[in-house]
Amino acid sequence: MLTILLSAYACLPNRGSEEGNGWHYSTLLSQRGVRTHCITREEFREAIEPELATGLYPNLTVHYVGVPAWLDRAYGNLIGLYVHYIYWQWKAARVAKKLDQTQNFDLVHHVTYSSLQLGSFMYRLKKPFIFGPAGGGQRVPPVMKHYLGKYYSREVMRDAVSWLLQRVNPGFYRSMRQADYVLISNSDSLQLARTYRGNKPMELMLDSGIGADFLAPKPQERVPNPPVLNLLWVGRLLPRKALELTIHAFSRVNPDLPIRLTIVGGQGEMAEHVPTYLTKYNVADRVDWVGHVSYDEVLKYYKESDVFLFTSLRDSGPTQVTEAMANTMPVITLALHGQAEMVNGTNGIKVPIESSEQVLNDLAAAIERLYHNPAERLEMGRKAYEFAKRQVWDEKINLFTERLYPSLVNQTKLVGVV
């Protein structure tokens, strides 16, 4: 039985995004007969321990690493988050080295955060080391910056800090040089990784996945000509998610067509602005904003909608897109970052970014196109379902347990560099 160490700064049960990724890696690997040790943050202990007590994960041991209280308090801002993360990684690596003296890990795998620049200190164990999947090469297109409003300055700061971390953070540049294998979540990040890694083994792999509960046993049979075509937007109301862009584009859809937009999400800095957007673009009578709902309740909205809209201006590999596809929904999105890797023209429509006006008009035209062409819409939904089947966590874990882990542990030379 393999004994592995996971570095999962984010790891929580029954969550999406990074927290869900860490939990899926830990639990599914343990259920595959891999003796799994996961290092995560002390604050997650209360949520994780009851899950471990169920006995469902007999091969999983979780180790918790805390940081000083003052650093926890600094977590709320961008610089504080980065300092918190790097300090935690440094401390986690010290704990990992002590654990290795008794556990003698076969392999170390860094899974979250999935950011190249933030890096990992797990290379210090001098064991076979996998880093990723990770992104970090994404940037907000300057022509769309007005949709972030005052928060665009934060994006500029993020880019500057990312540039600095590439040069001063040993967790980044040593991981890039010393990791036996690096997994990259999108082409933008691959270009960044190549700068530091050269031709050492790398591979493209989305950093998100979906649980089996989000994938129906077969494609959902949708009505070709519903009385109302229901569009859906799901996500946290963060500036980079650009909900305003979705609403602005929707305002250019012919109001005489029976098309409605449902917005699911109520947490984030932009929540207070949603009523203003609906009034500003004169779409309040065609939009339903349901606010924040539970992770399980989101599934109901996926099943009841016909087309998914995703207009984030910076995203590594958005889980919402895969979740929508798992429910046989075509996706309308931007030809940008992770979503551009997922939407290929057969399972949805991706709009290029040349100018703000062009993006708005093309998004509106894409919505009307799927309304007027039900056969195309249904076929795109079926293709989306086929894509989602390959992104189920069980399938992703197979890649590690059947190919990557054995290859590294056996010191087999890996091939197929991107």
Side-chain angles (χ1 to χ4, degrees), residues 10-11 25 33 43 87 104 212 237 267 291 323 376:
C11 181
Y25 275 112
E43 63 212 68
Y87 181 90
N104 190 24
L237 300 178
Q267 297 180 331
E323 290 174 346
E376 180 185 31

Side-chain angles (χ1 to χ4, degrees), residues 34-292:
V34 176
R35 189 180 293 111
T36 307
H37 289 258
C38 173
I39 296 183
T40 191
R41 281 144 66 189
E42 175 63 42
E43 63 212 68
F44 297 153
R45 183 191 295 268
E46 185 176 350
I48 291 175
E49 287 301 310
E51 294 291 330
L52 297 181
T54 64
L56 295 175
Y57 318 108
N59 297 312
L60 175 60
T61 304
V62 179
H63 309 271
Y64 304 95
V65 174
V67 300
W70 66 266
L71 200 48
D72 277 330
R73 290 193 294 271
Y75 183 81
N77 61 70
L78 182 67
I79 301 299
L81 185 153
Y82 287 171
V83 174
H84 188 285
Y85 175 89
I86 292 172
Y87 181 90
W88 183 91
Q89 281 289 344
W90 173 77
K91 193 172 179 181
R94 294 181 64 188
V95 172
K97 291 182 74 173
K98 290 182 180 179
L99 286 172
D100 188 46
Q101 294 174 7
T102 58
Q103 302 300 325
N104 190 24
F105 298 119
D106 295 301
L107 178 142
V108 182
H109 185 181
H110 173 97
V111 292
T112 64
Y113 273 170
S114 56
S115 168
L116 291 173
Q117 293 94 329
L118 288 175
S120 172
F121 289 118
M122 292 300 159
Y123 64 85
R124 297 174 62 196
L125 272 69
K126 302 187 185 304
K127 291 293 181 76
F129 177 36
I130 296 180
F131 185 91
Q138 308 87 237
R139 298 289 182 271
V140 171
V143 295
M144 307 302 289
K145 66 181 183 181
H146 51 285
Y147 286 108
L148 276 67
K150 65 180 182 180
Y151 296 101
Y152 183 67
S153 60
R154 190 165 68 184
E155 286 293 314
V156 174
M157 179 181 292
R158 174 193 170 275
D159 292 346
V161 172
S162 294
W163 180 89
L164 182 64
L165 288 174
Q166 292 169 36
R167 288 151 179 84
V168 302
N169 178 17
F172 166 71
Y173 58 80
R174 289 188 180 173
S175 289
M176 288 298 94
R177 293 168 184 170
Q178 296 184 27
D180 294 275
Y181 210 66
V182 174
L183 299 162
I184 309 294
S185 60
N186 55 65
S187 297
D188 303 273
S189 302
L190 181 63
Q191 295 177 16
L192 170 64
R194 276 182 170 156
T195 301
Y196 293 87
R197 192 161 172 82
N199 290 322
K200 292 181 179 180
M202 293 185 290
E203 181 175 333
L204 280 171
M205 178 186 292
L206 289 173
D207 60 0
S208 62
I210 55 170
D213 55 335
F214 257 97
L215 184 73
K218 59 182 181 180
Q220 184 173 334
E221 293 296 329
R222 296 188 178 275
V223 179
N225 295 292
V228 175
L229 185 74
N230 291 302
L231 311 177
L232 179 65
W233 188 97
V234 174
R236 292 181 63 195
L237 300 178
L238 304 176
R240 65 183 174 85
K241 296 293 184 179
L243 174 60
E244 183 183 4
L245 171 58
T246 292
I247 294 173
H248 194 179
F250 181 62
S251 73
R252 299 199 176 189
V253 173
N254 184 349
D256 294 330
L257 298 177
I259 303 175
R260 292 193 66 83
L261 169 64
T262 297
I263 300 167
V264 177
Q267 297 180 331
E269 299 98 321
M270 310 308 287
E272 62 180 308
H273 300 286
V274 176
T276 301
Y277 297 154
L278 300 181
T279 301
K280 176 180 178 181
Y281 297 112
N282 194 29
V283 293
D285 60 336
R286 295 189 285 151
V287 175
D288 299 310
W289 180 31
V290 301
H292 177 69

